Amino acid sequence: MFEHDAALLCRAFARARTAPRRIAATLVTTIAVTTMIVVPAAVARGRRCAGSHVRIGSASRSALQRAVACLINQQRRARGLPTLRQSRMLDRSAQGWTNVMVDRSTFSHGADFAARISAVGFNWSNVGENIATGFRTPAGVVRAWMASTSHCQNILNPTFRYVGTGLTARAIAGYSSHPGTWTQDFGLAMGQRPASEDWAPAESCPYG
């Protein structure tokens, strides 16, 4: 996904995978021009998420991770879905991949993003991942993800129970000259029941 904000050029990709079938994921790329984002009244009236408009690099990583989790949980709560719990294992997976992308100047999910999630010890039955670069704030990246069908569907996937976020102020060379690279990993642990069976919000994506 590309977001144009003056000279800003950004991308975001999303993938999801289910075990044990391990269905081959489809990589979806969309193009959008961000102008005005309309959110449900329940979101607009909801409590503010601390740090949501703080620029990356101006607050601690943990504070920005909490802001992203708060913002996506606002989106879920507004549509009647259970909120996600932050997972330290998924935080490690997401942060590790964020670091790899900026170090190697690559923008993709790699050969097997699910294996990366397994490698940190998260024993999963369902996983998903969003990535983005060139977004300066938690609010900016979540707004962009919600305006893209595939990313929005990961955020509103009713089966997920956990989320982890990785971030760096560094841009990915060749993809954006603006700060802010993000990875978000989602998961349902093996043996857990899906958090919900309500697919209607995800099927109505995107929002904005």
Side-chain angles (χ1 to χ4, degrees), residues 72-140:
I72 66 168
N73 278 331
Q74 276 190 347
Q75 297 290 340
R76 290 176 65 90
R77 193 182 300 111
R79 296 171 177 86
L81 295 173
T83 57
L84 303 178
R85 294 178 58 185
Q86 287 183 261
S87 162
R88 291 184 179 179
M89 286 185 287
L90 292 180
D91 281 344
R92 288 200 303 273
S93 171
Q95 189 60 51
W97 188 244
T98 299
N99 296 342
V100 167
M101 287 195 296
V102 296
D103 288 342
R104 299 181 183 175
S105 298
T106 184
F107 188 65
S108 74
H109 294 278
D112 190 351
F113 82 94
R116 289 191 273 104
I117 292 175
S118 297
V120 298
F122 190 89
N123 187 20
W124 55 271
S125 60
N126 267 331
V127 287
E129 181 171 86
N130 289 344
I131 59 175
T133 190
F135 294 89
R136 297 175 173 91
T137 66

Side-chain angles (χ1 to χ4, degrees), residues 2-190:
F2 296 89
E3 179 189 63
H4 298 278
D5 176 10
L8 182 62
L9 178 63
C10 310
R11 283 188 174 182
F13 286 161
R15 274 189 174 176
R17 184 166 293 180
T18 301
R21 293 174 62 195
R22 306 295 176 93
I23 300 170
T26 301
L27 188 63
V28 179
T29 304
T30 60
I31 299 177
V33 177
T34 301
T35 53
M36 181 178 295
I37 303 298
V38 180
V39 298
V43 176
R45 292 194 300 267
R47 67 181 179 85
R48 296 176 66 90
C49 291
S52 60
H53 295 284
V54 174
R55 289 199 173 198
I56 195 166
S58 299
S60 68
R61 179 187 300 167
S62 60
L64 295 172
Q65 288 171 326
R66 288 192 298 269
V68 171
C70 177
L71 288 164
I72 66 168
N73 278 331
Q74 276 190 347
Q75 297 290 340
R76 290 176 65 90
R77 193 182 300 111
R79 296 171 177 86
L81 295 173
T83 57
L84 303 178
R85 294 178 58 185
Q86 287 183 261
S87 162
R88 291 184 179 179
M89 286 185 287
L90 292 180
D91 281 344
R92 288 200 303 273
S93 171
Q95 189 60 51
W97 188 244
T98 299
N99 296 342
V100 167
M101 287 195 296
V102 296
D103 288 342
R104 299 181 183 175
S105 298
T106 184
F107 188 65
S108 74
H109 294 278
D112 190 351
F113 82 94
R116 289 191 273 104
I117 292 175
S118 297
V120 298
F122 190 89
N123 187 20
W124 55 271
S125 60
N126 267 331
V127 287
E129 181 171 86
N130 289 344
I131 59 175
T133 190
F135 294 89
R136 297 175 173 91
T137 66
V141 72
V142 172
R143 183 168 56 245
W145 280 334
M146 288 300 297
S148 165
T149 299
S150 55
H151 305 86
C152 172
Q153 287 173 342
N154 270 344
I155 290 171
L156 300 182
N157 187 316
T159 66
F160 294 143
R161 288 182 176 271
Y162 299 100
V163 65
T165 306
L167 57 104
T168 179
R170 297 166 61 192
I172 300 178
Y175 292 94
S176 176
S177 59
H178 293 268
T181 298
W182 310 75
T183 302
Q184 190 168 59
D185 286 339
F186 304 87
L188 176 70
M190 188 69 73

